[in-house]
Amino acid sequence: MFFNILLYLFYVAGFIVLLGLGLVYTYQCKLIYPAQFPEGSRVEVSLPSDHDMPYYEDLTLTTRDKVKIKAYLIKRSTDEETKKACTLLYFHANAGNMGHRLPIAQIFYKMFNCNVLMLSYRGYGLSEGTPGEQGIRIDAQTALDYITEHPLLKNTKVIAYGQSIGGAVAIDLVAHNEDRIHGLILENTFLSLPKLIPHLMPFLSSVSFLCHQKWNSEVAIQRIAKTPILFLSGQRDELVPPQHMRALFENAITSGGKSFNEFNSTHNDTCLAPNYFDTVGEFWASSIDDSFLNMNK
Ligand SMILES: *[C@@H]1O[C@H](CO)[C@@H](O)[C@H](O)[C@H]1NC(C)=O
Ligand SMILES: *[C@@H]1O[C@H](CO)[C@@H](O)[C@H](O)[C@H]1NC(C)=O
């Protein structure tokens, strides 16, 4: 009798554990890609013209797996200038949509006289589909291919910029397209999701093997052979331990040069740090293109 109850409890416990593991496995994308936050992110996306950038195209790109994603191409005021400018390819962090990043895009646009191509990943903003590692990689490739095929942009220098999980997107894209990208700027990104989860969600650390979303930047960054890389690291980052950025920097072997810069900032306010854009400017001028220095005189 006692033995039967024990066996019964054992089955119940086993069932609950399996159910829990199943839920973690199935719903991790909802945790990792909070596209519905902040509220309204799936219905409202502000426009470049709201941020003093009137020369833009509101694009719908179709990926090779037939998902329609939204992107903005923000151009200079004339075709001639657009052709001569660099193009910033902007990969946003894991909440919200591209519209939330327009104030940051605007600083790049004004300071470096560049074009900006930015996208909302699938399942974000007004883009169709659901987020996931394989799909977002395709989205990034779609955006780069758009630049490569665009009559005004095809000969521009492309700089990939990624914040947080956008850094993982950018690293992966550059690792596969070095012939078409001239610089990589990374802010507060991580070694890999399985390595980040024990820190973010300690209660899940024993099941981090269930994480099917990997974003293994630790390996991918070692495939980058020649693209210059800038690392921007918030020393008070409460979400991604700064050691991840430091380790990525140490893993990078690119012959194009790498630069590590620390800011007294947290995960999402690093770009507000006083020296942030000056640091980007030094990297941009020395490793990619210094013509903005003359234009801004
Ligand atoms: C970093 O910023 C915090 C919060 O603003 C401040 O209290 C601290 O003194 C700063 N540390 C340094 C080294 O500047
Ligand atoms: C950073 O995140 C906090 C809470 O998530 C938010 O209140 C704050 O406005 C964000 N700061 C920036 C610069 O985005």
Side-chain angles (χ1 to χ4, degrees):
M1 179 64 192
F2 176 70
F3 182 73
N4 281 347
I5 291 175
L6 211 61
L7 197 65
Y8 174 75
L9 288 178
F10 179 76
Y11 282 136
V12 169
F15 177 74
I16 290 172
V17 167
L18 281 181
L19 188 72
L21 294 181
L23 287 175
V24 168
Y25 191 80
T26 311
Y27 289 107
Q28 58 184 272
C29 282
K30 294 249 181 263
L31 290 174
I32 296 167
Y33 309 105
Q36 61 279 30
F37 296 108
E39 218 182 303
S41 292
R42 296 302 314 279
V43 283
E44 248 173 81
V45 182
S46 51
L47 299 172
S49 50
D50 301 332
H51 295 268
D52 200 19
M53 296 182 285
Y55 312 105
Y56 73 94
E57 293 173 29
D58 188 350
L59 304 169
T60 303
L61 306 177
T62 304
T63 65
R64 65 164 186 265
D65 59 341
K66 305 279 179 286
V67 178
K68 290 195 165 66
I69 58 167
K70 296 298 296 176
Y72 290 142
L73 168 60
I74 307 170
K75 298 183 286 191
R76 310 308 306 175
S77 59
T78 66
D79 285 358
E80 272 320 297
E81 281 179 55
T82 300
K83 271 190 207 171
K84 278 190 284 177
C86 294
T87 302
L88 185 79
L89 180 49
Y90 192 143
F91 296 110
H92 69 70
N94 70 343
N97 60 51
M98 62 178 168
H100 295 114
R101 280 71 187 194
L102 283 166
I104 302 169
Q106 187 189 4
I107 301 178
F108 278 96
Y109 182 81
K110 302 252 141 131
M111 204 164 157
F112 307 121
N113 297 304
C114 59
N115 311 305
V116 178
L117 184 71
M118 61 202 307
L119 67 152
S120 294
Y121 311 122
R122 61 184 61 197
Y124 282 76
L126 304 175
S127 295
E128 294 176 355
T130 44
E133 181 173 1
Q134 294 312 326
I136 290 176
R137 283 185 180 170
I138 295 174
D139 299 345
Q141 190 68 51
T142 302
L144 180 62
D145 292 347
Y146 176 82
I147 293 175
T148 309
E149 287 154 19
H150 193 285
L152 300 179
L153 304 182
K154 61 184 180 197
N155 293 321
T156 64
K157 288 183 175 172
V158 177
I159 297 102
Y161 172 53
Q163 297 171 300
S164 192
I165 203 166
V169 181
I171 290 169
D172 184 76
L173 184 76
V174 174
H176 293 99
N177 297 274
E178 279 205 90
D179 50 329
R180 296 151 80 190
I181 296 181
H182 299 79
L184 172 59
I185 303 174
L186 300 172
E187 180 198 296
N188 296 336
T189 193
F190 46 79
L191 286 166
S192 72
L193 276 180
K195 287 202 170 168
L196 181 63
I197 279 173
H199 171 80
L200 273 190
M201 303 172 222
F203 56 98
L204 289 182
S205 56
S206 55
V207 295
S208 61
F209 66 90
L210 286 175
C211 184
H212 54 64
Q213 300 291 298
K214 307 276 187 228
W215 290 111
N216 195 345
S217 298
E218 184 173 15
V219 168
I221 204 158
Q222 298 178 49
R223 292 207 200 101
I224 299 177
K226 61 174 190 192
T227 308
I229 312 178
L230 176 66
F231 295 79
L232 305 165
S233 175
Q235 291 313 287
R236 289 183 290 117
D237 191 328
E238 71 293 5
L239 211 63
V240 177
Q243 301 89 283
H244 282 237
M245 281 293 279
R246 177 54 79 175
L248 281 173
F249 172 72
E250 277 156 14
N251 278 341
I253 50 154
T254 179
S255 65
K258 55 180 181 175
S259 161
F260 190 84
N261 297 271
E262 298 178 337
F263 302 91
N264 181 19
S265 60
T266 62
H267 186 68
N268 71 349
D269 69 5
T270 297
C271 63
L272 303 177
N275 291 332
Y276 186 90
F277 282 99
D278 292 334
T279 305
V280 173
E282 278 165 32
F283 170 76
W284 196 297
S286 65
S287 302
I288 300 159
D289 187 294
D290 65 2
S291 50
F292 72 91
L293 295 175
N294 304 322
M295 288 190 243
N296 284 344
K297 255 181 203 151

